[in-house]
Amino acid sequence: MSWRTRSSLAWLRGLPGVREGEPLASRTSFGIGGPAEFFLELGRPDAIEAAIEGCCRRGIPYLLLGAGTNLLIADKGVEGLVVRVVNREHTIDGTRVRAGAGLKMMRLARIVADANLRGFEFAIGVPGTVGGAVYQDAGCWGKELREVLVEAEGFVPGAGRQRWTPADLDLGYRTSALRGGALKGALVVSVTVQLQRGDGEEAKELMAKLTRERNESQPIKTKNCGSVFKNPAGDSAGRLVQAAGLKGAREGAAVVSTLHGNFIVNEGGATAADVRKLIEHVMAEVKRRFGAQLEPEVEMVGRWR
Ligand SMILES: Cc1cc2nc3c(=O)[nH]c(=O)nc-3n(C[C@H](O)[C@H](O)[C@H](O)COP(=O)(O)OP(=O)(O)OC[C@H]3O[C@@H](n4cnc5c(N)ncnc54)[C@H](O)[C@@H]3O)c2cc1C
């Protein structure tokens, strides 16, 4: 039975600040995707929790949206409710830092450097939010969030607020219990990370150097989703794509970057269907040439059928 009953629709329409048919493309780094059937942008955790609890009770599908930097949203958009999580508060207590899930990792990297804390410089390479980073244990330059994470505060519809240790979150290379395990559908409210005292100016110099190097080797200033594929154990997805001669391969306005094989760039006007077809083509070619099975790192969400 469909969730789309008169009372569920009335409840959705009654949510304060809700918007119907809200375009989502501009809320993703790809610049691609159809609208949210219903959309809320919320900064107060209790409001986010009430919204997803209400959805669960009524069987309404929902999607939590961070900065939209790891998503390919279907051209037909997203069914049910999309909640954009924008709680961005932070507190620094000695060398421990607690940050709201909606704060951007890059912003937090600068905040902690200003506070003369070290150990979070890697986050300058992650354009998503803290919540999105927990979801798939984001990392960069050989360092992952799990190496500094002390705990996360979260919310499970039907079970309420919880505190999760890194073990509860089952963090692994670009995955977690939120992405595929026991905590699927749960909300990350905040995280606490443990850093070290150090020279903030040195941290800023290191971040500037890493950013310069990245700008030379990856198409950072284009519309993209970062790495499209996870790196297979002991290899690099970008190397495999390049070796298969797929740099520059195209589907509509979606192109495999000529700068880095693990990036797909929206040159302007690419559809989600274009990108998906290109992803499938690359996977098939890499499998045919080298027998390697690439797995998408980007998450495809919404109404694909
Ligand atoms: C140019 C570029 C470079 C990138 N480089 C890197 C890199 O070096 N390393 C890396 O790891 N990633 C990288 N990424 C990918 C991306 O930034 C990360 O995956 C990031 O963690 C996604 O966060 P987000 O807020 O954008 O999440 P979104 O894309 O908005 O969402 C991704 C998933 O997280 C879930 N989610 C978001 N917020 C919450 C929350 N509060 N609670 C529960 N679930 C939530 C969503 O429901 C969704 O399933 C890059 C992306 C781009 C565009």
Side-chain angles (χ1 to χ4, degrees), residues 64 66-70 125 127-129 132-133 135-136 138-140 174 188 214 226 299:
L64 297 166
T69 60
N70 197 44
T129 61
Y135 183 83
Q136 62 155 11
C140 203
R174 304 296 169 266
V188 177
R214 195 167 221 215
E299 203 179 342

Side-chain angles (χ1 to χ4, degrees), residues 3-281:
W3 61 267
R4 220 176 261 100
T5 60
R6 196 175 289 186
S7 73
S8 290
L9 289 169
W11 177 78
L12 282 163
R13 291 193 175 111
L15 289 168
V18 79
R19 300 203 280 268
E20 261 183 83
E22 178 76 5
L24 291 177
S26 62
R27 299 181 189 279
T28 71
S29 55
F30 246 145
I32 292 175
E37 192 172 357
F38 292 89
F39 177 86
L40 278 176
E41 185 167 284
L42 295 172
R44 280 192 22 226
D46 57 345
I48 307 170
E49 291 165 11
I52 64 174
E53 180 82 48
C55 282
C56 276
R57 282 209 199 119
R58 294 166 179 83
I60 301 169
Y62 64 89
L63 172 73
L64 297 166
L65 179 65
T69 60
N70 197 44
L71 291 178
L72 179 61
I73 295 179
D75 297 313
K76 290 192 178 125
V78 181
E79 184 184 352
L81 181 66
V82 174
V83 183
R84 186 157 182 256
V85 177
V86 294
N87 58 319
R88 297 181 180 131
E89 75 288 349
H90 74 274
T91 51
I92 299 179
D93 180 8
T95 50
R96 285 213 168 175
V97 180
R98 182 177 172 278
L103 190 63
K104 295 249 180 88
M105 291 284 279
M106 286 176 153
R107 171 97 187 94
L108 187 57
R110 294 195 184 97
I111 290 170
V112 298
D114 280 339
N116 285 316
L117 293 171
R118 303 286 311 259
F120 208 66
E121 295 89 334
F122 73 96
I124 202 71
V126 182
T129 61
V130 162
V134 175
Y135 183 83
Q136 62 155 11
D137 192 21
C140 203
W141 296 296
K143 190 154 180 179
E144 318 285 327
L145 180 66
R146 68 173 174 271
E147 294 170 51
V148 291
L149 188 78
V150 177
E151 69 166 21
E153 205 183 351
F155 176 82
V156 178
R161 274 277 174 112
Q162 301 186 346
R163 284 181 184 278
W164 300 317
T165 63
D168 295 331
L169 288 162
D170 199 15
L171 300 167
Y173 174 57
R174 304 296 169 266
T175 189
S176 72
L178 293 152
R179 184 158 184 170
L183 296 175
K184 202 158 175 49
L187 166 76
V188 177
V189 174
S190 71
V191 305
T192 302
V193 293
Q194 176 68 57
L195 306 175
Q196 303 97 45
R197 282 200 197 289
D199 184 338
E201 288 312 309
E202 277 178 20
K204 287 179 202 169
E205 276 165 31
L206 175 60
M207 292 193 291
K209 176 176 163 284
L210 293 170
T211 304
R212 271 195 310 276
E213 284 172 11
R214 195 167 221 215
N215 287 343
E216 282 163 19
S217 60
Q218 299 178 0
I220 294 301
K221 297 204 169 108
T222 63
K223 289 186 166 123
N224 68 77
C225 66
S227 296
V228 174
F229 301 104
K230 296 184 184 185
N231 288 319
D235 207 338
S236 123
R239 188 200 71 76
L240 286 164
V241 174
Q242 177 167 357
L246 290 164
K247 275 184 162 181
R250 157 185 302 276
E251 188 67 49
V255 186
V256 176
S257 167
T258 48
L259 195 57
H260 195 298
N262 202 11
F263 279 69
I264 288 179
V265 171
N266 171 12
E267 287 190 334
T271 63
D274 290 338
V275 176
R276 190 168 184 154
K277 256 194 219 158
L278 192 54
I279 288 174
E280 285 166 1
H281 173 63

